[in-house]
């Protein structure tokens, strides 16, 4: 992974991962040694109010939320909803299945990094159809 991600990598070329939810795929770098089994997959994201994403994580990761508020539910604990605000950091365990809901009128923005098998090429592979 490069030491610096130029602003044009996360300021342009948005891709709709889920309805009302975008990522910036130019940030997804796949630099790793040939014999590596895992690598660090970075993600820059933005969700509009009303966005819902159902995500299964193929490796552990960490989120940082820089703007807005978002609610999540770990499907292993149905009915338990947690609200995250700007400045929140969340660690995700390998194999977790999380349902995200953006209720913030201003949307939510942030970034994340996941330690995933080299077979995983994009955050697209995390999305679980509803």
């Amino acid at each position: 992974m490069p030491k610096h991600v130029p602003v044009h990598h996360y300021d342009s070329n948005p891709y709709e991962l889920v309805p009302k939810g975008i990522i910036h795929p130019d940030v997804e770098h796949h630099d790793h040694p040939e014999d590596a089994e895992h690598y660090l997959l970075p993600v820059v994201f933005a969700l509009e109010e009303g966005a819902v994403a159902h995500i299964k994580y193929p490796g552990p990761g960490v989120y940082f939320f820089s703007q807005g508020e978002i609610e999540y539910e770990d499907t292993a604990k149905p009915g338990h909803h947690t609200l995250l605000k700007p400045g929140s950091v969340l660690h995700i365990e390998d194999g977790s299945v999380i349902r995200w809901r953006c209720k913030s009128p201003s949307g939510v923005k942030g970034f994340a990094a996941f330690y995933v098998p080299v077979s995983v090429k994009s955050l697209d592979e995390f999305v679980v159809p509803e």
Side-chain angles (χ1 to χ4, degrees), residues 5-45:
V5 177
V7 69
H8 67 274
H9 281 196
Y10 58 86
D11 197 26
S12 62
N13 194 25
Y15 169 75
E16 190 171 61
L17 183 67
V18 296
K20 298 185 177 186
I22 63 168
I23 62 170
H24 296 275
D26 295 341
V27 173
E28 293 183 336
H29 297 282
H30 307 283
D31 300 332
H32 51 77
E34 269 187 44
D35 61 344
E37 294 182 19
H38 292 81
Y39 75 105
L40 195 61
L41 175 66
V43 178
V44 174
F45 62 89

Side-chain angles (χ1 to χ4, degrees), residues 104-128:
S104 180
S106 63
V108 68
K109 291 184 179 180
F111 60 89
F114 303 99
Y115 187 66
V116 296
V118 294
S119 61
V120 174
K121 302 300 181 199
S122 172
L123 195 65
D124 278 314
E125 297 176 43
F126 292 34
V127 177
V128 176

Side-chain angles (χ1 to χ4, degrees), residues 61-116:
V62 176
Y63 279 97
F64 175 78
F65 298 90
S66 59
Q67 178 183 320
E69 296 181 352
I70 191 164
E71 179 182 274
Y72 78 92
E73 175 186 19
D74 183 338
T75 60
K77 301 173 188 172
H80 179 76
H81 300 268
T82 302
L83 181 67
L84 300 170
K85 298 180 178 195
S88 294
V89 175
L90 176 67
H91 178 261
I92 301 288
E93 295 289 334
D94 179 12
S96 295
V97 180
I98 305 290
R99 179 169 285 113
W100 297 96
R101 287 186 177 85
C102 180
K103 296 181 176 181
S104 180
S106 63
V108 68
K109 291 184 179 180
F111 60 89
F114 303 99
Y115 187 66
V116 296

